[in-house]
Amino acid sequence: MKYLIIILLLISSSMSAQEWITDNNFDSKINERQAFGDDQTKPVIVEFYAKFNDANKFEQWSELKDVIYYRADIATCPTAKKKYKVRMAPTLIIFKDGIKEIIFKAGLDLMLPASLNEIQEAVDEVNTASQF
């Protein structure tokens, strides 16, 4: 029984694993192209995260469609944090072909003032705009 619980925990954690990026791979990740795809690239969302504000992290990333999602701890991404002027966490930045397109920043209450629908609409807008 103990082994069954351990296996179930491993399976559930791997299904919801969030990929973390650092300053070392930040630029390559925001410029990422999908293998075996057409010339269209998906937008990339990076959530700048802070451990002290874990309660307000963006939880619904797995529900976003037509986008690649990464999380960057501000402690391990000081260069990217400075480059993109991240002052609050969480901050979500949508990139297309490595170019910053849309930003969602936490307010003074450290909560992200955007819903899943608003973020998905922004992703759809970036995808639509890139078709022209």
Side-chain angles (χ1 to χ4, degrees):
M1 184 67 177
K2 183 167 100 174
Y3 294 113
L4 179 60
I5 292 171
I6 292 171
I7 291 171
L8 290 174
L9 286 173
L10 289 173
I11 291 172
S12 67
S13 67
S14 67
M15 289 174 47
S16 62
Q18 174 65 51
E19 187 170 350
W20 292 84
I21 59 176
T22 65
D23 275 343
N24 294 334
N25 63 355
F26 194 92
D27 287 333
S28 66
K29 292 295 187 179
I30 65 171
N31 286 291
E32 194 168 65
R33 293 197 169 270
Q34 296 301 303
F36 307 112
D38 55 3
D39 290 336
Q40 295 291 325
T41 59
K42 289 183 179 181
V44 173
I45 293 182
V46 176
E47 176 188 0
F48 285 87
Y49 161 91
K51 190 173 188 172
F52 69 83
N53 195 20
D54 187 68
N56 292 324
K57 67 185 175 193
F58 183 68
E59 296 278 358
Q60 298 170 301
W61 58 268
S62 63
E63 297 177 43
L64 292 170
K65 295 177 180 20
D66 298 320
V67 68
I68 301 166
Y69 192 90
Y70 297 109
R71 186 169 280 154
D73 188 332
I74 60 173
T76 61
C77 293
T79 303
K81 178 184 166 206
K82 183 177 181 180
K83 180 177 181 178
Y84 296 104
K85 298 177 173 81
V86 174
R87 304 286 182 256
M88 302 296 253
T91 293
L92 297 178
I93 302 178
I94 302 175
F95 295 91
K96 181 67 175 186
D97 298 323
I99 299 169
K100 177 177 67 171
E101 297 286 343
I102 299 173
I103 300 176
F104 296 95
K105 296 180 181 183
L108 293 176
D109 60 358
L110 300 177
M111 296 185 68
L112 193 65
S115 68
L116 174 64
N117 287 339
E118 291 171 310
I119 296 167
Q120 185 64 59
E121 285 174 11
V123 168
D124 294 344
E125 180 182 314
V126 169
N127 275 323
T128 301
S130 69
Q131 294 175 356
F132 299 105

